[in-house]
Amino acid sequence: MRFSEPVRMANDGDHSPVWARTKRRRGGANPIVGVLVTLLAVFGVLTAVLGIKERSLAEGGAIMDGWIAAGVATVKGEAPRVADEAVDTAGDAADKAGNAVQAGAAAATEELKK
């Protein structure tokens, strides 16, 4: 009596049955590609939804253009203020670091004099 290939492989101690084998995952793709594909999918769905809502892809695109323009204007308007705050914070940190170095140097000088 002849047995089929899966049965022979199941009886063989060195091999596992074909149906019990796990498929190896292919090496992971670059995560940046996954993020880009996801963003493009979200953009496509948003375009389709706005196109259906406005009954025109051009009108839906115009709405999205308005959102993007408002976001860019907000960033441009906030950027100088945020940069000024960052410069002020960095200046304060530099002053504190300089004062700490001077205090440490003075303490070290006093210790060496003793």
Side-chain angles (χ1 to χ4, degrees):
M1 178 172 174
R2 299 193 80 185
F3 293 106
S4 65
E5 183 70 20
V7 173
R8 277 189 280 142
M9 291 176 69
N11 291 335
D12 190 6
D14 294 337
H15 302 292
S16 62
V18 173
W19 60 86
R21 293 183 190 166
T22 57
K23 293 185 179 184
R24 289 188 296 166
R25 281 185 56 193
R26 290 176 31 192
N30 191 348
I32 294 173
V33 173
V35 170
L36 288 175
V37 168
T38 303
L39 288 175
L40 287 173
V42 168
F43 182 73
V45 168
L46 183 61
T47 302
V49 168
L50 286 174
I52 292 169
K53 179 182 171 226
E54 297 298 322
R55 296 183 184 183
S56 168
L57 287 177
E59 291 296 322
I63 291 173
M64 286 195 308
D65 286 344
W67 293 343
I68 292 170
V72 169
T74 301
V75 169
K76 283 184 178 178
E78 295 291 319
R81 183 186 57 80
V82 171
D84 289 341
E85 289 177 5
V87 168
D88 291 341
T89 303
D92 293 341
D95 288 340
K96 288 179 183 178
N99 293 339
V101 168
Q102 287 178 348
T109 303
E110 293 297 321
E111 287 293 321
L112 290 174
K113 288 181 180 177
K114 291 182 184 179

